Amino acid sequence: PVVVDLQLENQASFDGLLRVAQFDNDGDVCFDEVPVHLLASSGGAQRYFLYILPSGEDSDANLRVDVLDERGEAVTAIYNGVPKRTVRVEDRPTSLEEEFLLLVDISVGSGAHAGDLSDAELTGHFHRDVYTSRLAAGDIPEHWIGLEAVDFIVWDEADPADFKSEAQLRALVGWVRHGGTLVVAAARTAGSLATTELIDAILPVDIAAVTQVSNLGAIPQRLLGVEGKFRAADEKEKFIPDPLLEPVTVAPCKPRKPAAMLSYYSDDERPDLYALITRHQVGHGYVVFCGV
């Protein structure tokens, strides 16, 4: 993805096109373009996403960006304080080696610890070394192909309001369907996910009303770092977690068939089992939902 911010300068409006052109070594050119409609009365600024083909490490990016009027003619724009009719892109894109697994954390309202997975001490512990990056949900591309290099996206305290446009939500869903793995965690904000059709359609669970829980059981409480002890039960070692210091907010969930329930808890007052971590396949990708 190529991200371009346009701002009106001393004019009431502008209608035209924004084009990014990419040249190969023998002079061929491919380009992407989007229509531009700017009004000073509504702020006069807009962010645009365009897309280019990935280039190898040994090739030049060789990109140019043009702002065109309604007749298709280039207009003068101010770039880095200098008037230009064509902007040549000098920054080279970052390239990752194929053996890396790229994980992007788009969480807004939490202190997600996804970045810990790229700790040097964990090198060699996974089938591929993990490279992590943070990107605000409202800054992701508006087409799934702009996320194609990403293997995993972590979205903690997930809220559809984190995005600036429905196109970004569609891009996220499209990326999953084309092979990405989305890890979603939500408790207080789970209701917003359930009422957002685009997101609810790819969730592996049906979400019930949010509640407070004081005992999540052995596996979830160990994941939260709660200490405990082992004791013999039915001739097997059983982990007994210490009580939670305070109740946690949980979104009770029922798995949708054929989703896999990876972790669950039981209500103290009812014998029902509620899914806590659930996964299912969506197209060629996966969605993992955590309700705490």
Side-chain angles (χ1 to χ4, degrees), residues 19 27 48 57 68 77 108 121 124 152 159 168 172 188 245 260:
R19 174 183 292 174
Y48 297 92
E57 276 291 321
L68 310 175
V108 174
E121 294 183 0
F152 285 82
D159 187 341
Q168 291 174 319
L172 183 68
R188 296 177 181 86
L245 295 178

Side-chain angles (χ1 to χ4, degrees), residues 45-97:
Q46 183 67 47
R47 169 165 287 185
Y48 297 92
F49 291 91
L50 301 103
Y51 299 89
I52 63 168
L53 297 172
S55 300
E57 276 291 321
D58 56 351
S59 65
D60 294 328
N62 204 10
L63 306 178
R64 57 180 282 176
V65 178
D66 294 292
V67 182
L68 310 175
D69 62 19
E70 291 179 296
R71 298 185 301 275
E73 297 179 358
V75 300
T76 299
I78 308 296
Y79 178 69
N80 288 340
V82 180
K84 293 188 175 185
R85 292 182 70 83
T86 292
V87 173
R88 294 203 174 271
V89 180
E90 300 174 356
D91 295 337
R92 292 175 59 86
T94 300
S95 179
L96 293 177
E97 300 297 331

Side-chain angles (χ1 to χ4, degrees), residues 23-55:
F23 298 85
D24 68 9
N25 292 332
D26 64 355
D28 296 323
V29 60
C30 62
F31 63 88
D32 188 19
E33 63 183 23
V34 294
V36 174
H37 305 288
L38 297 175
L39 287 172
S41 59
S42 58
Q46 183 67 47
R47 169 165 287 185
Y48 297 92
F49 291 91
L50 301 103
Y51 299 89
I52 63 168
L53 297 172
S55 300

Side-chain angles (χ1 to χ4, degrees), residues 187 190-191 194 205-211 250-254 265 270 274 289:
V205 294
D206 290 316
I207 298 172
V210 172
T211 186
V250 174
C253 301
K254 290 294 184 180
Y265 74 97
R270 295 186 297 271
Y274 296 102
F289 181 80

Side-chain angles (χ1 to χ4, degrees), residues 192-234:
S192 297
L193 297 180
T195 56
T196 302
E197 186 176 350
L198 277 172
I199 296 298
D200 180 65
I202 64 171
L203 292 180
V205 294
D206 290 316
I207 298 172
V210 172
T211 186
Q212 295 283 313
V213 175
S214 57
N215 182 9
L216 293 172
I219 294 177
Q221 291 186 206
R222 290 188 72 185
L223 289 174
L224 292 172
V226 176
E227 300 295 332
K229 52 188 174 295
F230 286 91
R231 76 177 185 192
D234 299 328

Side-chain angles (χ1 to χ4, degrees), residues 8-15 37-44:
L8 283 177
E9 186 78 12
N10 298 324
Q11 61 190 103
S13 64
F14 177 81
D15 293 294
H37 305 288
L38 297 175
L39 287 172
S41 59
S42 58

